[in-house]
Amino acid sequence: MRMSTDYVLKLQYCSGQRFRIDRRTNWLCKRMYYSKCSILKRPLRQARIIQCMYFVGFMDLFGVSMIIPLLSHHVKALGASPTVAGVVGSTYGVLQLFSSTVIGSWSDVVGRRYSLLTCLFLSALGYGLLGLSTSIVLFVVARIPVGLFKHSLSICRALLSDLVTETERPLVMGRFNAASSVGFILGPVVGGYLTEHEGGFYTSSFVCATIFVLNAALVWMLPWSDAPSRTDANANSSAKSHRAKQNGLEGANHVAGVGLGVEPGRWEPPAWRQLSSVLVRIRALTSSDMWDVFLVRLLMAVAIMLYYSNFSLALEERFELKPKVTGYLISYSSTLGALAGCLVGPVTQLYGNDMPALLLHSTMLTSVLIFLYATAPNVWQVLLTSTFFAISTTIGRTCITDLELRRGGTQASGTLIGAGQSVTAVGRILAPLLSGVAQEFSPCGPPSLGVVLALAAVLLLRVRMSKWDGRGRVKTPKL
């Protein structure tokens, strides 16, 4: 088998040597390919890591979604009152609020491999304890490690942002979200089937714990030694360091610069050094000029949650739909949302990688769709709005995450993604309260309030975009 001239020239470029192209023999080319041009094999290894992250994301939400629909029933079966059940249910959200940013920053300090393995094993421990919970106290104890360390998806997103370029990131993130969404769709089906048997909740919990252990084993076997460190990957990129400097994250990016994984023989900083590095990164983030991006994220998160807050009850009161039909509609919307993850890359290319403009248009579309749902005169308009709502929200979530990473720099990707999850956790706390107050006035009250919040996000984007360039970064003032 002969090697083409272009391929030989690529080998010549990679090795940095000049050699004579001989069309009659190719032994030299093969030798250089297998010995000196390992850089050509490295993208293949990184592609395997990316594909494994897709599988990890799918299995993660597949296991979690088996448990989520069963939690409230299990708490009631343990003899908890509705008030106690509500307090116990909010424990997870409160822990996620405070731990998301800390764990994300910690993954920047110690590396993705160590932090991801830790989160997977401790999450497996939490779900295993959940399968042993026979009282309210044990149930709360089981939710603590899950609330503190269930950040595997955030670390996977940070890892993906480290492995790909800025232009490839929306495509990869969209596919990862699509794979995770498919797991979230299939999980409740399996969980419901297991629940029909005796001890179904405990079986589902142990299956979920086993899934997290298998994910940890898969992560352990990945070729981490071939993954480039974030420091090396960004050493030749002055634009990223300039972006971090603009947003006040310059100091954090130079604290404990470590690789993606723990290489053999690599020195690990002591616990006190890790803690100080985490605090420095969080302090740099809080003093950075990224309040506008996080505020947009909060407004849209609450608006979307208000849309779904009383969805089933509102359709029953407004159009007398049976819960079974509403379930079909929710499954249809979730399936479209999963498929929409694959559209993020092509849509981003259509916009010329102008993420602020894409975020603005998706936010405007989302606000219009929430308004159409709140004023829908029939079920068919609800079906139409649900179709496009799933697509717009999927694109919007990917856009806001990508914009956070662009503004903050990829060296602090774990901190930024964790902070975004903390903002979303704040939305999970506020949305039920606002939904309850708005529902006192009308079944359409929650989505109507969501329209107001979405329009506020649109207005904020319109005002702040004049201070950004086409890539979402703060413009440098001209001297």
Side-chain angles (χ1 to χ4, degrees):
M1 177 180 177
R2 296 181 180 274
M3 305 184 79
S4 65
T5 303
D6 294 339
Y7 191 66
V8 173
L9 290 175
K10 290 181 180 179
L11 295 177
Q12 177 183 357
Y13 177 77
C14 292
S15 62
Q17 299 179 3
R18 295 185 178 276
F19 60 92
R20 186 176 178 180
I21 300 174
D22 191 350
R23 296 180 180 273
R24 293 172 297 179
T25 59
N26 58 8
W27 66 270
L28 179 60
C29 300
K30 291 182 178 179
R31 182 179 180 182
M32 294 182 63
Y33 175 75
Y34 289 107
S35 62
K36 296 184 179 180
C37 288
S38 60
I39 191 173
L40 293 179
K41 293 188 287 185
R42 182 171 297 175
L44 297 178
R45 300 288 182 89
Q46 293 182 17
R48 292 177 183 175
I49 296 178
I50 293 174
Q51 292 172 358
C52 288
M53 289 301 103
Y54 293 160
F55 182 76
V56 169
F58 166 78
M59 293 300 293
D60 188 294
L61 280 189
F62 176 79
V64 171
S65 61
M66 292 172 55
I67 303 298
I68 291 179
L70 310 178
L71 289 177
S72 59
H73 297 282
H74 184 65
V75 172
K76 292 181 180 179
L78 294 177
S81 63
T83 303
V84 174
V87 173
V88 171
S90 63
T91 303
Y92 176 81
V94 173
L95 292 175
Q96 287 273 298
L97 169 63
F98 293 102
S99 63
S100 295
T101 306
V102 175
I103 296 298
S105 181
W106 183 57
S107 72
D108 288 329
V109 174
V110 301
R112 308 294 183 219
R113 183 192 190 191
Y114 183 77
S115 57
L116 184 55
L117 286 173
T118 302
C119 289
L120 288 172
F121 277 122
L122 291 178
S123 297
L125 174 63
Y127 287 113
L129 291 176
L130 194 64
L132 300 174
S133 60
T134 55
S135 65
I136 298 296
V137 176
L138 291 178
F139 184 90
V140 174
V141 171
R143 297 297 286 169
I144 291 177
V146 177
L148 291 176
F149 294 98
K150 177 57 185 73
H151 302 290
S152 48
L153 292 181
S154 298
I155 299 177
C156 287
R157 292 187 178 95
L159 173 59
L160 291 175
S161 70
D162 296 332
L163 290 173
V164 300
T165 61
E166 190 175 89
T167 55
E168 296 172 335
R169 188 166 57 209
L171 174 64
V172 173
M173 289 292 187
R175 291 177 177 176
F176 177 79
N177 293 336
S180 303
S181 299
V182 172
F184 197 81
I185 294 171
L186 298 179
V189 178
V190 178
Y193 172 78
L194 294 176
T195 308
E196 294 180 354
H197 300 79
E198 185 178 358
F201 176 81
Y202 302 103
T203 304
S204 300
S205 300
F206 287 127
V207 170
C208 182
T210 304
I211 288 175
F212 275 82
V213 172
L214 294 177
N215 273 349
L218 177 61
V219 170
W220 178 269
M221 293 186 296
L222 289 177
W224 294 96
S225 59
D226 294 306
S229 66
R230 295 192 312 278
T231 305
D232 295 338
N234 295 331
N236 298 325
S237 179
S238 59
K240 292 178 181 178
S241 60
H242 177 65
R243 178 196 336 157
K245 183 178 180 181
Q246 284 182 328
N247 293 283
L249 299 176
E250 182 184 24
N253 288 342
H254 292 84
V255 176
V258 297
L260 298 177
V262 181
E263 299 177 0
R266 175 179 169 270
W267 175 79
E268 284 296 324
W272 65 269
R273 188 69 177 272
Q274 296 178 20
L275 179 60
S276 64
S277 299
V278 168
L279 294 178
V280 167
R281 289 174 180 270
I282 295 176
R283 181 179 179 183
L285 180 63
T286 55
S287 61
S288 64
D289 187 23
M290 295 186 61
W291 63 269
D292 46 5
V293 180
F294 289 123
L295 183 55
V296 170
R297 186 185 188 103
L298 177 61
L299 291 173
M300 291 307 300
V302 176
I304 294 172
M305 292 175 190
L306 289 174
Y307 175 90
Y308 287 115
S309 61
N310 67 332
F311 191 77
S312 179
L313 180 61
L315 291 184
E316 183 178 358
E317 292 184 2
R318 294 171 60 186
F319 308 111
E320 298 182 355
L321 282 185
K322 297 181 179 180
K324 183 178 180 180
V325 179
T326 304
Y328 289 148
L329 184 59
I330 295 175
S331 299
Y332 165 75
S333 178
S334 301
T335 304
L336 285 180
L339 296 177
C342 300
L343 298 176
V344 176
V347 173
T348 304
Q349 295 178 357
L350 181 63
Y351 272 76
N353 210 32
D354 189 355
M355 200 58 66
L358 179 56
L359 177 61
L360 175 63
H361 293 163
S362 65
T363 304
M364 294 174 62
L365 178 60
T366 301
S367 61
V368 171
L369 292 173
I370 297 177
F371 174 78
L372 292 177
Y373 162 70
T375 59
N378 51 59
V379 179
W380 296 109
Q381 184 167 323
V382 174
L383 178 63
L384 181 64
T385 56
S386 298
T387 301
F388 292 98
F389 187 79
I391 299 174
S392 66
T393 52
T394 300
I395 295 177
R397 280 193 296 266
T398 306
C399 287
I400 196 66
T401 301
D402 189 79
L403 193 58
E404 290 170 359
L405 294 173
R406 292 188 182 195
R407 292 283 299 275
T410 54
Q411 285 190 354
S413 55
T415 307
L416 293 167
I417 293 177
Q421 294 301 316
S422 295
V423 171
T424 305
V426 174
R428 292 193 184 101
I429 296 174
L430 294 177
L433 176 62
L434 296 177
S435 176
V437 174
Q439 200 169 348
E440 292 289 340
F441 299 93
S442 170
C444 300
S448 301
L449 181 58
V451 173
V452 176
L453 297 178
L455 290 177
V458 172
L459 180 61
L460 178 60
L461 283 173
R462 291 287 298 176
V463 173
R464 295 296 295 177
M465 279 181 61
S466 61
K467 303 180 183 298
W468 301 345
D469 58 14
R471 307 183 72 82
R473 304 163 187 167
V474 178
K475 294 179 181 178
T476 304
K478 298 181 180 181
L479 300 179

